[in-house]
Amino acid sequence: MYLRLTDEQRMVQKAIRKFVEKELMPLENEVLRNEREGKPGLPPEKLKELQLKAKKRGFGGSTRRRNTAARIWAMSCRRLC
């Protein structure tokens, strides 16, 4: 079975990919270093900053689109945090 993404899903996917590439991927080395040292991946203030940026982009909220985006964002963030 081949499932295609809707235009809305592709839009969400593109927005999240852009956010991850711009905001999360540059933090990868810092997160890995911190985890090797037994520290949290990111300090709480940095995590809060990222959460606010994500929220401003609509990756959270009550609409179905935003809930989908929020779930994808959370999965991406968990991999780095």
Side-chain angles (χ1 to χ4, degrees):
M1 176 193 292
Y2 180 73
L3 300 176
R4 294 182 184 189
L5 297 177
T6 65
D7 290 340
E8 183 179 18
Q9 289 169 327
R10 278 193 297 277
M11 182 181 71
V12 170
Q13 181 186 46
K14 183 178 178 180
I16 291 172
R17 180 177 288 128
K18 183 177 177 180
F19 181 83
V20 169
E21 288 172 352
K22 181 180 178 194
E23 301 291 343
L24 299 181
M25 290 179 75
L27 300 173
E28 184 177 16
N29 289 334
E30 176 185 354
V31 169
L32 293 173
R33 183 177 56 251
N34 287 343
E35 288 179 345
R36 278 193 304 269
E37 295 173 1
K39 300 176 188 174
L42 290 173
E45 57 276 359
K46 183 64 177 176
L47 185 57
K48 182 70 173 173
E49 177 187 330
L50 287 169
Q51 290 169 334
L52 289 173
K53 286 180 180 182
K55 188 174 181 180
K56 284 182 180 181
R57 287 171 174 82
F59 305 150
S62 61
T63 67
R64 184 173 178 212
R65 176 185 167 268
R66 288 184 177 170
N67 283 337
T68 300
R71 282 193 297 274
I72 296 170
W73 150 254
M75 290 185 314
S76 300
C77 188
R78 274 188 225 121
R79 288 182 174 198
L80 289 176
C81 301

